[in-house]
Amino acid sequence: MTSRPGSGVATVRAELVASRVVGAYQHLTLLAPEVADLARPGQFVALAVGGPTSATLLRRCFSIHRVTPDAREGGSGSGTVELVVADAGPGSRWLTQVPVQGEVDLIGPLGKPFPLPTEAVGCVLVGGGYGSAPLFWLAELLRERGCGVEIVLGAASRDRLFGAPQTSDDERASHGVTVTTDDGSQGVKGWVSDVLPEVMARADAQVVYACGPMAMLRSVSELAAAHGAVAQVAVEEAMACGVGVCMTCVMPVRSSDGTTKMVRSCVEGPTFRGDRVRWDAFVDGHAVVPADAVGAPVAAGGGGH
Amino acid sequence: MVSMTVDLAGARLPNPLMTASGCAANGRELHRFFDVADLGAFVTKSVMLGARSGRGTPRMAETPSGMLNSIGLQGPGIDAFVDDDLAWLASVGARSLVSIAGSDSEEFAEVARRLRDSSSFGSVAGVEVNISCPNVANRGLVFACDPGSSSAVVSLVRSQLPAEVPIFAKLSPDVTDLVTIASACLEAGADGLTMVNTLLGMSIDIDTMRPHLGGVTGGLSGPAIRPVAVRAIWQVRSAMLTGRLPVAPIIGVGGVRTGHDALELVAAGASAVQVGTSTFNDPTAPVRVLRELEQLLEDKGIVAFTDVVGAAHPS
Ligand SMILES: Cc1cc2nc3c(=O)[nH]c(=O)nc-3n(C[C@H](O)[C@H](O)[C@H](O)COP(=O)(O)OP(=O)(O)OC[C@H]3O[C@@H](n4cnc5c(N)ncnc54)[C@H](O)[C@@H]3O)c2cc1C
Ligand SMILES: Cc1cc2nc3c(=O)[nH]c(=O)nc-3n(C[C@H](O)[C@H](O)[C@H](O)COP(=O)(O)O)c2cc1C
Ligand code: FES
């Protein structure tokens, strides 16, 4: 597989150079210099699962946790891409079991990165579960621009937190990180939305970045709006292709002209401004087509595939 | 060097490989991975008259060696399509096989008329008529399941387009007698046939005990349906060889992932091959399959692609 020069995306057979368990997740490091050089926080990769003759055809998408770009001029071939993978089903389990030195077929970087503020403003980064994976890399870039950064990490339980301080030493070093768990096994017992207003006030937040489950993204968007901050959220819609050709990954998003369209989250997202997403159209995590969306079915049905 | 050129009812193509409608968007996305002008033809997503939002989510369910989709023919409408997408395909030198759809036969005809009147019509190698959608005027019965509805659509579309632009009726395999439908389409003026569209399928989420797809039922595609495509092509080609149907080119589609798979459809009687769902696994699949097919023919000592079309039929 190849892709065209200048296309901004690479297709590679990447060697797995490290794979380790982190809490409930598997942290994978893949040798993929072409992807590492192009990627920005908020983007993702699409991985083939099950080997070349697999009956599992659809790729699996994962946020890029961080990259280590190629060090030398012209590329030494040492750039890596890191992912944090939860065992959610057969495809992701296969990935967590790839042996070190094994190869994984990877396309990336895909999607739009998180937009960065042009001025040094206060930022709050909110991650739910493995959703925190891309946030630390984002935090580094924001700090380089002089932004103040606070991080809120939430999960159901301690083992499902990613990137949270593990020891009391860690905790002293990780100034600016607030942790919540549903069961109280680490940090504040409760949801990220319980602590977010206080953290936004403390950080004087003008931008709130979030990545995690849909319900969390919705509440973060609402709280950010109430605080007068812009929310930038990274969504996770089921994707069959990841590259913009199948139309499976759509969600209702309001554009700047006020019209709602069913847009592809793989190419127009996965990062969206929280106030543009039509959260009212989501029922149990799935989007129905809002009646006022462009081209919405006028009668029941709407047929065809 | 194997000669890969084909003539599909007057559309002369440098090779027989195409994308499949709805599995390649309208070109720009795949152009990041390969030059879409390298294909015999680029088959566009079925376009209807107005903009359509498609269905709610989830729109797909993975199945063994395939998937179900219920997209609902989302698209920008014919006017935006010709101004934006078709003009772009023309600008990169791609030959387009434009897929059109409608809720009734008049809508098909109007879409064809606007396509014909568009400034990029010169880049159109042919028109594929997707009759596998429900006919609002006929109790929601899928056009391609009824010879009368299929024939009405094909003849109206044919009347809107210049004779030198071939039209291909895209058939559904979900019928009792495919030859009857093929016959109705060819008699109504179709220059060729595309076979097959997706099979109607369904999946149930056993956690919620509800249908998995937002659209309840969906179209099954991918390697799992390849034997159905081979059978459909074989049946229709046989009917042509025995004089029950006029001879016309067949474009094969359904489950092609490799050059071997493509050759199977060709041997059954396909003069061109589309690659659909496999593109989701490998965005370069349509051109990779072309290379693999070419190599396979060369290894077999075949000099021209057209020599193997229908080769599996008794001579
Ligand atoms: C942009 C994006 C970024 C993501 N980032 C991460 C990440 O950093 N870490 C991580 O562990 N997971 C991430 N996910 C979710 C991950 O893609 C799914 O958990 C994974 O595809 C499940 O595949 P499976 O074979 O294990 O499960 P199955 O249930 O067998 O999958 C069946 C199908 O449904 C899709 N699917 C299932 N669950 C999800 C889901 N939650 N989201 C989207 N599609 C799903 C699969 O891709 C597959 O096509 C991300 C998803 C997207 C779209
Ligand atoms: C996501 C998706 C969308 C599709 N959309 C269309 C469409 O708009 N028009 C059409 O004629 N066929 C459509 N098809 C059917 C394909 O063109 C093709 O006939 C079918 O998928 C079988 O080929 P495959 O197994 O190679 O995918 C679609 C298929 C899929 C998977
Ligand atoms: S996943 Fe195919 S279009 Fe987005």
Side-chain angles (χ1 to χ4, degrees):
Chain A
M1 282 211 310
T2 50
S3 55
R4 280 150 57 87
S7 64
V9 55
T11 57
V12 290
R13 289 199 59 79
E15 186 192 332
L16 185 68
V17 291
S19 180
R20 61 189 177 89
V21 176
V22 178
Y25 309 114
Q26 195 80 16
H27 179 160
L28 309 182
T29 306
L30 293 144
L31 194 60
E34 304 88 337
V35 183
D37 283 353
L38 294 165
R40 317 289 302 158
Q43 290 185 297
F44 65 97
V45 292
L47 308 183
V49 295
T53 57
S54 170
T56 307
L57 281 181
L58 305 180
R59 284 175 181 264
R60 288 352 190 214
C61 297
F62 298 91
S63 308
I64 301 174
H65 168 43
R66 64 167 71 245
V67 296
T68 306
D70 245 2
R72 264 188 288 145
E73 188 73 20
S76 60
S78 63
T80 57
V81 172
E82 293 171 48
L83 310 175
V84 176
V85 176
D87 174 349
S92 53
R93 183 167 319 134
W94 183 86
L95 283 168
T96 62
Q97 291 170 357
V98 173
V100 171
Q101 289 181 347
E103 278 190 336
V104 180
D105 185 329
L106 180 156
I107 302 178
L110 294 167
K112 293 219 160 76
F114 280 119
L116 301 178
T118 46
E119 285 165 32
V121 296
C123 297
V124 174
L125 280 47
V126 188
Y130 57 73
S132 54
L135 298 184
F136 304 97
W137 177 26
L138 174 66
E140 280 167 29
L141 296 193
L142 291 169
R143 288 196 188 99
E144 278 170 20
R145 293 175 167 240
C147 294
V149 175
E150 287 254 2
I151 297 179
V152 180
L153 303 177
S157 54
R158 182 186 171 91
D159 64 324
R160 304 200 76 81
L161 286 167
F162 179 80
Q166 295 296 311
T167 62
S168 48
D169 276 356
D170 276 3
E171 237 157 276
R172 273 189 296 277
S174 64
H175 167 75
V177 178
T178 307
V179 172
T180 68
T181 49
D182 298 1
D183 64 359
S185 51
Q186 188 170 343
V188 178
K189 183 171 171 17
W191 290 346
V192 293
S193 48
D194 297 334
V195 300
L196 190 56
E198 188 192 318
V199 178
M200 285 191 297
R202 188 166 70 217
D204 189 19
Q206 300 201 19
V207 190
V208 179
Y209 294 92
C211 187
M214 272 301 184
M216 188 198 97
L217 300 182
R218 177 183 192 156
S219 72
V220 169
S221 299
E222 286 164 359
L223 290 170
H227 179 80
V230 176
Q232 295 286 355
V233 302
V235 303
E236 207 184 83
E237 275 295 328
M239 297 179 179
C241 75
V243 300
V245 296
C246 72
M247 309 298 287
T248 58
C249 63
V250 296
M251 47 186 268
V253 175
R254 213 181 278 111
S255 43
S256 49
D257 65 6
T259 58
T260 295
K261 295 198 177 93
M262 296 300 281
V263 306
R264 292 166 297 178
S265 56
C266 65
V267 285
E268 270 137 300
T271 60
F272 290 103
R273 257 177 63 158
D275 59 350
R276 293 274 171 81
V277 177
R278 289 288 299 270
W279 302 109
D280 60 310
F282 286 85
V283 181
D284 296 332
H286 301 309
V288 296
V289 178
D292 59 346
V294 175
V298 280
H305 305 129
Chain B
M1 275 285 279
V2 186
S3 163
M4 296 299 282
T5 55
V6 282
D7 182 325
L8 296 180
R12 270 178 293 278
L13 307 178
N15 66 69
L17 258 294
M18 304 177 179
T19 51
S21 179
C23 299
N26 287 334
R28 290 177 175 91
E29 295 81 0
L30 288 187
H31 203 59
R32 295 182 293 171
F33 299 96
F34 64 87
D35 184 345
V36 293
D38 288 348
L39 293 164
F42 186 92
V43 186
T44 59
K45 169 85 185 159
S46 296
V47 61
M48 297 179 74
L49 188 56
R52 284 172 61 107
S53 67
R55 294 180 186 274
T57 61
R59 286 179 171 189
M60 66 98 165
E62 195 174 42
T63 60
S65 289
M67 67 181 281
L68 289 164
N69 85 82
S70 65
I71 308 297
L73 290 174
Q74 178 166 354
I78 184 68
D79 294 338
F81 168 81
V82 293
D83 287 349
D84 189 18
D85 299 312
L86 187 61
W88 181 85
L89 282 160
S91 76
V92 298
R95 291 154 297 277
S96 299
L97 182 59
V98 177
S99 173
I100 64 171
S103 311
D104 52 39
S105 49
E106 285 75 30
E107 184 177 351
F108 276 96
E110 183 60 18
V111 175
R113 191 184 66 75
R114 295 197 194 188
L115 175 67
R116 175 199 70 202
D117 291 343
S118 74
S119 55
S120 301
F121 188 59
S123 68
V124 174
V127 172
E128 189 173 87
V129 189
N130 175 11
I131 50 176
S132 310
C133 34
N135 178 356
V136 289
N138 187 4
R139 292 167 288 112
L141 184 72
V142 170
F143 288 94
C145 294
D146 177 48
S149 307
S150 300
S151 149
V153 166
V154 169
S155 62
L156 270 183
V157 170
R158 184 65 281 175
S159 71
Q160 294 297 329
L161 296 169
E164 67 275 14
V165 173
I167 69 173
F168 298 85
K170 184 163 178 185
L171 306 185
S172 163
D174 285 337
V175 294
T176 317
D177 183 9
L178 198 56
V179 174
T180 307
I181 309 285
S183 168
C185 292
L186 293 174
E187 267 164 35
D191 305 280
L193 303 165
T194 303
M195 286 186 280
V196 291
N197 213 311
T198 54
L199 286 78
L200 197 61
M202 188 169 165
S203 129
I204 290 174
D205 179 335
I206 52 135
D207 289 329
T208 61
M209 284 294 182
R210 299 286 307 149
H212 179 99
L213 294 171
V216 183
T217 59
L220 181 66
S221 65
I225 73 162
R226 196 174 71 245
V228 176
V230 174
R231 179 271 297 172
I233 295 163
W234 171 276
Q235 278 182 336
V236 171
R237 177 79 180 182
S238 292
M240 289 176 185
L241 293 174
T242 54
R244 282 183 295 142
L245 276 184
V247 176
I250 296 169
I251 303 175
V253 50
V256 173
R257 192 177 186 179
T258 65
H260 282 90
D261 302 343
L263 186 52
E264 206 185 337
L265 268 58
V266 171
S271 300
V273 175
Q274 300 179 351
V275 178
T277 303
S278 298
T279 311
F280 305 162
N281 176 264
D282 169 8
T284 68
V287 284
R288 175 179 51 74
V289 169
L290 170 61
R291 282 196 309 273
E292 290 173 359
L293 177 62
E294 208 169 347
Q295 186 62 51
L296 205 53
L297 295 177
E298 185 156 340
D299 294 348
K300 288 181 181 294
I302 287 153
V303 291
F305 165 78
T306 47
D307 291 349
V308 287
V309 173
H313 291 268
S315 48

